[in-house]
Amino acid sequence: MKTKKKVMLILILIVLILLASNILATSNLVAQVKTSTNELEAGQQVIITFGFDKYEQIKKGINAFKAKLEYNKEIFEEVKQSDFQCLNDWEKLQYNQATGEFIAIKRAGSKAPEDLVSITLKTKQGVKATSTDIVFTDIVTSEGEKDINIVEIKTTINIIEDQTEKPEEPKQEKITSNKYTITENHIERILPNTSVAQFKANVTVENVTTQPQIVFTSEEGTLLAEDEIVTTGTKIQVGKTLQYTLSVIGDIDSDGKITINDLAKLKLHLIEKQLLEGIKLKSADINNDGKITLDDLAQMKLILIDMLKVE
């Protein structure tokens, strides 16, 4: 009986030694991950290199491995088989796009630390600044005798804002005035007998670099000098993009003044004998109420006899 007990104890001891050696072998081998960069902008790529290290307990050489790739699909474009590249004679890699699992083999067993595979991941357009982990889980390898389970490993990638200096958008050319009414195509409520220089003194030009900043052209197409009078129908070019037609108060006949002739044209319009149109109709609105009525005629008459000041 004592002999049997001794044999049993020896067998148990041998089993424990074998188990201990197996545990030691599986605990030493580790996975390692290297990245081509730890910072990415939207639309950029990173190459992840996956391999093994600490081969002290590997004797015959590992010749197969399997692992699972986990990544944020809201940040990275979906990884495909073509994004994998075997390294150091590892081959016949297969990738399950649905589960993230991939597997490969090697003809001659690997006995020294080496990279096994590289994977290219690309960030999606429009992703915001954040940090994200790329994780390798369920890692298993083998020398052909037993499965060797390896602890999962991860690497962190920082997604950063685009560092490219964006060209400054050109500022919009603009003309403003505290005295005149400026609409999309017209500048209205200009007083009679206003010269080019006086008009320019009552407007502000913004974001215009061309010289001269404002070009004045008569209805006939001739350029106006600083001392010439602007009239209803005068056109101005502001910078490279803006064009306006001017409306002088009461100046229906486009001579820059209020005269008997303007009064006559307004009377004909009111009885619908010769209707005014466009910019001339705007100039006939003496009281600035948006309509042409008998009151405009009465006010024009008072202006002509110096009993009302045009404003």
Side-chain angles (χ1 to χ4, degrees), residues 162-286:
D162 188 354
Q163 301 298 305
T164 305
E165 187 174 338
K166 296 178 175 60
E168 185 178 353
E169 291 188 9
K171 295 180 179 178
Q172 185 178 10
E173 294 179 327
K174 190 176 182 181
I175 183 170
T176 60
S177 176
N178 293 324
K179 189 174 183 66
Y180 307 137
T181 300
I182 301 177
T183 63
E184 185 176 357
N185 299 309
H186 303 110
I187 299 180
E188 305 168 24
R189 306 306 295 175
I190 303 167
L191 294 178
N193 298 302
T194 297
S195 68
V196 169
Q198 289 170 332
F199 177 92
K200 291 167 69 175
N202 286 297
V203 297
T204 301
V205 175
E206 300 177 22
N207 307 320
V208 176
T209 57
T210 54
Q211 295 293 336
Q213 293 183 319
I214 308 178
V215 177
F216 293 76
T217 308
S218 70
E219 280 192 299
E220 293 75 26
T222 59
L223 295 177
L224 299 181
E226 292 286 305
D227 60 346
E228 291 188 85
I229 301 298
V230 299
T231 68
T232 294
T234 296
K235 297 185 184 302
I236 65 169
Q237 173 85 32
V238 181
K240 296 179 179 179
T241 60
L242 303 178
Q243 290 184 333
Y244 298 93
T245 302
L246 306 188
S247 170
V248 175
I249 299 172
D251 179 28
I252 299 172
D253 63 0
S254 299
D255 64 358
K257 301 172 288 185
I258 296 178
T259 63
I260 294 295
N261 191 43
D262 298 307
L263 189 70
K265 288 181 177 294
L266 181 52
K267 288 165 61 179
L268 293 174
H269 174 81
L270 287 170
I271 63 171
E272 300 184 7
K273 189 170 183 178
Q274 291 183 9
L275 292 176
L276 301 174
E277 296 180 347
I279 197 68
K280 297 184 184 299
L281 186 64
K282 291 181 180 292
S283 296
D285 185 12
I286 307 296

Side-chain angles (χ1 to χ4, degrees), residues 80 86 93 104 133 158 250 279:
K80 301 179 178 62
C86 287
L93 184 140
D133 291 334
N158 295 313
I279 197 68

Side-chain angles (χ1 to χ4, degrees), residues 3-244:
T3 303
K4 288 183 177 180
K5 286 183 178 180
K6 286 182 179 179
V7 171
M8 289 295 294
L9 288 172
I10 292 170
L11 289 173
I12 291 171
L13 183 60
I14 292 171
V15 170
L16 290 174
I17 291 171
L18 290 172
L19 286 173
S21 64
N22 285 344
I23 292 170
L24 181 63
T26 57
S27 63
N28 277 8
L29 194 65
V30 297
Q32 61 180 5
V33 174
K34 295 179 284 187
T35 62
S36 60
T37 180
N38 291 112
E39 291 187 341
L40 288 176
E41 298 174 5
Q44 291 186 335
Q45 293 181 341
V46 60
I47 298 175
I48 308 295
T49 304
F50 176 77
F52 290 151
D53 196 6
K54 300 188 182 301
Y55 278 65
E56 288 82 356
Q57 301 299 322
I58 301 300
K59 302 303 180 185
K60 294 182 179 180
I62 58 174
N63 52 37
F65 81 89
K66 182 171 77 73
K68 183 177 180 180
L69 172 67
E70 296 180 358
Y71 62 95
N72 191 330
K73 293 184 180 181
E74 293 183 358
I75 294 176
F76 294 99
E77 294 181 0
E78 191 159 4
V79 175
K80 301 179 178 62
Q81 174 91 29
S82 58
D83 295 317
F84 287 79
Q85 181 177 353
C86 287
L87 306 172
N88 294 311
D89 297 325
W90 285 89
E91 60 182 358
K92 300 187 184 301
L93 184 140
Q94 293 295 322
Y95 173 59
N96 186 333
Q97 194 168 330
T99 65
E101 294 176 300
F102 59 99
I103 190 169
I105 60 174
K106 187 173 184 177
R107 293 181 184 179
S110 173
K111 298 179 181 180
E114 65 181 6
D115 297 328
L116 281 63
V117 64
S118 68
I119 311 165
T120 301
L121 289 87
K122 183 178 180 180
T123 53
K124 292 182 176 180
Q125 294 291 343
V127 293
K128 303 298 182 182
T130 186
S131 61
T132 185
D133 291 334
I134 298 171
V135 187
F136 292 89
T137 65
D138 302 338
I139 307 169
V140 184
T141 188
S142 176
E143 290 187 273
E145 294 181 349
K146 58 185 177 299
D147 285 350
I148 302 173
N149 295 299
I150 300 175
V151 176
E152 71 176 45
I153 190 171
K154 69 178 181 180
T155 185
T156 301
I157 302 294
N158 295 313
I159 310 300
I160 61 175
E161 296 290 342
D162 188 354
Q163 301 298 305
T164 305
E165 187 174 338
K166 296 178 175 60
E168 185 178 353
E169 291 188 9
K171 295 180 179 178
Q172 185 178 10
E173 294 179 327
K174 190 176 182 181
I175 183 170
T176 60
S177 176
N178 293 324
K179 189 174 183 66
Y180 307 137
T181 300
I182 301 177
T183 63
E184 185 176 357
N185 299 309
H186 303 110
I187 299 180
E188 305 168 24
R189 306 306 295 175
I190 303 167
L191 294 178
N193 298 302
T194 297
S195 68
V196 169
Q198 289 170 332
F199 177 92
K200 291 167 69 175
N202 286 297
V203 297
T204 301
V205 175
E206 300 177 22
N207 307 320
V208 176
T209 57
T210 54
Q211 295 293 336
Q213 293 183 319
I214 308 178
V215 177
F216 293 76
T217 308
S218 70
E219 280 192 299
E220 293 75 26
T222 59
L223 295 177
L224 299 181
E226 292 286 305
D227 60 346
E228 291 188 85
I229 301 298
V230 299
T231 68
T232 294
T234 296
K235 297 185 184 302
I236 65 169
Q237 173 85 32
V238 181
K240 296 179 179 179
T241 60
L242 303 178
Q243 290 184 333
Y244 298 93

